[in-house]
Amino acid sequence: MVCSKCGAQNPDDANFCIGCGAKFISRIQDISSASYSEFGGFWERFLAYCIDSIILTLASVVVGFIGAFFIGFVMALMGIEIEEMEDFFVVLYYILAFILSWLYFTIMESSKLQATLGKKICNLIVTDLSGNKITFARANARFWSKFISGIILCIGYIMAAFTEKRQALHDMIAETLVVKKK
C-alpha cells in the first residue's frame, strides 16, 4: 500500500504510514470507526507514566511488606537478628521492585490491553509501526531501551515532544508508537 501523503511503500495490513505516520482508512472502514485517532503527546505520556509510577510504588510497598513480614518471621524462628540482614533486605527490595516494574510494563503493553493502567487511564495504547499489537519481545526491547532514553539526561524521553510521530528514543529503537485510542 502506498501512502497518499508521502508516497512511502507500506505493508498491506498497515494502519499507519511508516514514512509519515498518517492513519490509513481501508475501503471498508470509515473515519468514525477507525480505532486510533492520533499519536500520544508528550504530556499525556508523562501523566500516564506518573500514574504507573504510583501504581508500581504501591504494589512494591505491599509486596515488600508481605515479604518482609514472612522473612522476618522465619528469621525470628531461627534466632537471626534483623540488623545482620538489613543491607540484604534493602538490595532484595530494589531487585524485586525492578522485576515487578519490568514485568508490569512488558506484560501489560504486549497484552490485549496494549497499555499499562496509566496509559489506559490516559486513553493511550502501544502499537508497532503498522498499528498492530506488539509482541512480548518488542515490549521487552521497549522496556530495556528506556534505559538509553534516561541515561542521556532523559533526552530520549523528551524527544517524544518534538518528533513527527511523537516517538521517544526507546520507541524508535523498539519500532513502536504510542497512539490515542478512540
Side-chain angles (χ1 to χ4, degrees):
M1 165 184 326
V2 176
C3 177
S4 60
K5 283 190 175 181
C6 72
Q9 183 64 35
N10 292 277
D12 289 335
D13 63 342
N15 292 320
F16 295 99
C17 174
I18 294 172
C20 67
K23 171 75 177 124
F24 294 138
I25 305 297
S26 70
R27 288 181 217 118
I28 299 169
Q29 278 183 316
D30 63 4
I31 292 175
S32 63
S33 68
S35 55
Y36 313 115
S37 58
E38 59 188 64
F39 299 115
F42 175 81
W43 291 111
E44 294 163 310
R45 293 175 66 164
F46 180 74
L47 176 60
Y49 182 76
C50 290
I51 293 168
D52 288 331
S53 294
I54 291 168
I55 291 167
L56 281 168
T57 299
L58 293 173
S60 295
V61 167
V62 169
V63 170
F65 179 77
I66 293 169
F69 176 79
F70 285 113
I71 292 172
F73 181 74
V74 170
M75 287 176 57
L77 289 175
M78 296 175 64
I80 300 171
E81 293 293 325
I82 291 177
E83 290 79 23
E84 296 174 23
M85 302 291 288
E86 191 172 314
D87 291 340
F88 170 76
F89 285 126
V90 170
V91 171
L92 181 63
Y93 173 79
Y94 283 112
I95 290 171
L96 290 175
F98 178 79
I99 291 171
L100 184 66
S101 176
W102 166 62
L103 290 173
Y104 173 76
F105 283 101
T106 306
I107 291 171
M108 294 290 289
E109 291 175 354
S110 64
S111 72
K112 284 198 290 188
L113 287 177
Q114 293 181 265
T116 59
L117 296 176
K119 284 184 183 73
K120 185 149 179 65
I121 290 168
C122 294
N123 231 15
L124 300 172
I125 60 170
V126 180
T127 71
D128 65 10
L129 295 178
S130 298
N132 301 312
K133 182 174 96 62
I134 63 173
T135 63
F136 182 81
R138 190 174 300 268
N140 205 16
R142 186 174 190 273
F143 176 83
W144 292 105
S145 298
K146 289 178 182 180
F147 289 100
I148 299 169
S149 290
I151 203 162
I152 53 173
L153 304 174
C154 293
I155 292 171
Y157 288 104
I158 296 168
M159 287 172 62
F162 301 103
T163 58
E164 183 178 3
K165 299 179 211 172
R166 300 295 178 238
Q167 288 177 293
L169 181 59
H170 54 274
D171 291 312
M172 292 177 185
I173 293 170
E175 297 180 341
T176 59
L177 299 170
V178 177
V179 295
K180 294 180 183 180
K181 185 164 174 83
K182 279 189 176 179

